[in-house]
Amino acid sequence: KFKMKETFSALFHFILISSVVVHAFEPISTTIVAGLGTLGKKLYNYLFETCDDNWIGFNATGLQEDLEEKLFGQHVASRVILKAVTGFMNSENPKKPLVLSLHGWTGTGKNFVSQLIAENIYQKGMASGFVHLFTATAHSPHKVHLETYKAQLQQWIKGNVTNCPRSMFIFDEMDKMHPGLIDGIKPYLDFYERLDGVSYRQAIFIFLSNAGAEEIVHVALDFWTSGREREEIELKDLEMALSLSVFNNKNSEYQAHVMVSKDNKNLVDFFVPFLPLEFKHVVQCGMAEMAAKGLTPDAAVVDHMARDINYFPKDERVFSMKGCKVISNRLDFYID
Ligand SMILES: *[C@@H]1O[C@H](CO)[C@@H](O)[C@H](O)[C@H]1NC(C)=O
Ligand SMILES: *[C@@H]1O[C@H](CO)[C@@H](O)[C@H](O)[C@H]1NC(C)=O
């Protein structure tokens, strides 16, 4: 579909240029150009991403199916995400932007879920000009430059939301971000109707972090040890563990800084806990990955690969050390 668009795009430019040339030499063609104007506008909307429902629109069924079929082992996160995003996108007048804070062990699907959300809102998914990814480690400043970076980041958020209110910002490795920078983001997450003339209420902010991951693992391990089903784990079991770590951990400046506004309002709408992944989930990831590579999923190959990766705790080998993160590269090694 997009290849076709590229072809059209080239054609469109050609028509534009030739119509300008014709127009310059021959006044009679004005009517033709005017006719092209309406058509041209339609064509333009079709070819180039615009901030309207040609390119942006929420597909609740799509998100639900994606979460059910593509995200493995995250029954709690799936439910929270679907409820949060659907509620927000169906709301005519949200009082604040949607702020999600995704927590969990490496490779459990935090980035992947952000991608699924983007794909079911923006036609171009992560490649959309309205989806912005910010990685703390890549952008984080030395202390000296903090003010500059903060101003830049604020300008960046403001500029993009002015350009398109339905913008999405994903902040990766939030726990590594400088508290000063986090302070800079906070005003945009709040309940303001407008801030310097700009409304942020249609925007979506997603924070990813490993903060609280150990507490989540504890809960999952407790269930495992006492022989209870993983699917019995409920949000409240994790919230208890999370909020304790989130608010009491003095090392985690991120938590203390981002969660509340100056007047103590909670700026995060939903904490989304991601459970550590087990052997069977790694196998599921492996099968999906083989299919994504255009191969016929081979249970024997995937099983072999899944057996060879590292699990913790050391003796029980319950949870994958890196979740599904390295599966793609690993598989190449097992496929001959
Ligand atoms: C929404 O997603 C479903 C499932 O992926 C798909 O079948 C359907 O065509 C989508 N609807 C729109 C309007 O894109
Ligand atoms: C919007 O965000 C991009 C990064 O995704 C940035 O490069 C650009 O400068 C921003 N635009 C505005 C108008 O601030």
Side-chain angles (χ1 to χ4, degrees):
K1 184 176 180 188
F2 286 112
K3 272 244 169 66
M4 194 171 84
K5 287 198 174 190
E6 275 154 26
T7 317
F8 265 122
S9 163
L11 186 67
F12 181 67
H13 275 129
F14 175 75
I15 295 174
L16 256 186
I17 290 165
S18 35
S19 71
V20 167
V21 172
V22 169
H23 187 54
F25 289 103
E26 200 191 338
I28 294 164
S29 67
T30 315
T31 38
I32 302 170
V33 174
L36 192 72
T38 335
L39 181 73
K41 212 174 238 163
K42 274 203 182 135
L43 201 54
Y44 188 92
N45 278 346
Y46 173 69
L47 296 174
F48 303 101
E49 193 184 28
T50 42
C51 178
D52 53 37
D53 52 18
N54 285 315
W55 293 87
I56 305 174
F58 179 52
N59 187 345
T61 330
L63 181 60
Q64 183 173 7
E65 284 182 10
D66 280 353
L67 289 169
E68 278 167 11
E69 290 161 18
K70 299 180 183 166
L71 180 71
F72 304 119
Q74 302 299 352
H75 66 283
V76 179
S78 282
R79 258 178 244 153
V80 180
I81 294 273
L82 186 64
K83 180 171 155 240
V85 178
T86 306
F88 179 73
M89 293 301 290
N90 289 340
S91 156
E92 297 267 317
N93 268 314
K95 293 278 179 288
K96 70 189 283 303
L98 176 65
V99 183
L100 304 175
S101 194
L102 278 45
H103 299 260
W105 203 259
T106 325
T108 48
K110 303 187 295 292
N111 276 293
F112 185 59
V113 155
S114 315
Q115 185 188 320
L116 295 183
I117 296 173
E119 283 170 1
N120 284 289
I121 295 178
Y122 304 92
Q123 268 206 39
K124 296 182 83 171
M126 291 301 284
S128 165
F130 309 125
V131 176
H132 308 280
L133 184 65
F134 187 91
T135 306
T137 37
H139 295 253
S140 255
H142 295 290
K143 275 216 169 77
V144 233
H145 301 303
L146 180 63
E147 285 310 312
T148 318
Y149 275 95
K150 186 167 147 187
Q152 217 169 57
L153 180 59
Q154 291 184 323
Q155 191 46 50
W156 187 67
I157 295 175
K158 185 180 172 185
N160 278 300
V161 174
T162 306
N163 191 25
C164 184
R166 186 67 90 198
S167 286
M168 182 164 142
F169 300 90
I170 303 166
F171 291 83
D172 200 3
E173 310 211 41
M174 203 53 192
D175 39 343
K176 297 200 182 79
M177 190 181 275
H178 193 287
L181 264 190
I182 294 173
D183 271 339
I185 308 172
K186 273 181 0 188
Y188 306 111
L189 313 180
D190 215 330
F191 289 82
Y192 302 116
E193 191 162 355
R194 277 168 186 282
L195 206 61
D196 292 332
V198 181
S199 171
Y200 294 87
R201 291 177 165 184
Q202 301 288 319
I204 299 171
F205 291 85
I206 302 180
F207 299 132
L208 317 182
S209 85
N210 293 330
E214 284 178 22
E215 286 77 4
I216 296 173
V217 167
H218 253 282
V219 173
L221 198 56
D222 278 349
F223 269 73
W224 185 84
T225 323
S226 54
R228 297 173 69 188
E229 289 292 325
R230 175 191 180 89
E231 283 67 29
E232 282 177 46
I233 302 176
E234 288 180 43
L235 180 61
K236 63 172 165 37
D237 299 314
L238 298 158
E239 258 178 350
M240 267 290 285
L242 251 183
S243 64
L244 284 182
S245 83
V246 155
F247 295 111
N248 293 345
N249 189 348
K250 297 237 162 36
N251 294 329
S252 182
E253 285 178 292
Y254 156 52
Q255 310 301 350
H257 274 81
V258 84
M259 298 314 164
V260 290
S261 64
K262 280 199 185 94
D263 49 348
N264 260 334
K265 276 184 306 228
N266 207 336
L267 297 177
V268 172
D269 302 301
F270 295 90
F271 288 100
V272 189
F274 283 70
L275 297 168
L277 297 179
E278 298 173 10
F279 176 84
K280 65 176 179 207
H281 305 120
V282 174
V283 169
Q284 286 179 308
C285 290
M287 297 296 274
E289 190 60 42
M290 277 191 89
K293 285 179 191 285
L295 302 163
T296 314
D298 183 333
V301 169
V302 171
D303 196 77
H304 190 185
M305 180 274 306
R307 246 179 250 282
D308 282 356
I309 65 170
N310 295 319
Y311 294 86
F312 69 96
K314 237 191 193 125
D315 295 331
E316 295 91 343
R317 290 176 49 93
V318 185
F319 301 122
S320 163
M321 204 81 114
K322 297 212 165 141
C324 278
K325 200 162 202 165
V326 289
I327 299 301
S328 181
N329 295 337
R330 281 284 178 134
L331 265 176
D332 293 336
F333 179 78
Y334 290 88
I335 301 164
D336 36 42

